[in-house]
Amino acid sequence: MYTVAYLGNALDAAGWRLAGALTFTPATAEAVAALAAARQAAALVLLDSETASALPPAVLEPALAALQPLVLVLPDAGDAPPPAFDPAERVRRQLGLEAAATPQDAR
């Protein structure tokens, strides 16, 4: 079993592979299957935000909530805002620390 698995773009995957991680560079249609394979093979699964955006919420949200394996979405490089599915952002909105971006996020 691998300690870390990475799902994302090929350039970043090359770096993670050099660090000893199991890597996947799935096309959009293959993202769900790649996530399932990564969750079976590693204790920590890292997703880039583009791959996470390609996953349906019904697949991504339970994976992020699960304790085994731990699944995390890596932030984009640069000054990009955090993705809409970032759990920390959602908690801040629910606590009233930030305005809700959409009615769905406010629930």
Side-chain angles (χ1 to χ4, degrees), residues 22-91:
L22 174 65
T23 60
F24 298 86
T25 55
T28 302
E30 302 166 345
V32 173
L35 177 61
R39 291 185 71 200
Q40 291 293 321
L44 171 64
V45 178
L46 303 173
L47 305 168
D48 74 354
S49 60
E50 185 177 328
T51 302
S53 297
L55 294 166
V59 172
L60 181 61
E61 290 177 6
L64 290 172
L67 297 176
Q68 280 293 50
L70 184 60
V71 177
L72 301 173
V73 178
L74 298 173
D76 284 333
D79 295 330
F85 45 78
D86 181 15
E89 291 298 317
R90 187 173 179 185
V91 167

Side-chain angles (χ1 to χ4, degrees), residues 91-99:
V91 167
R92 282 193 283 273
R93 283 193 302 271
Q94 289 175 338
L95 292 174
L97 301 174
E98 293 181 11

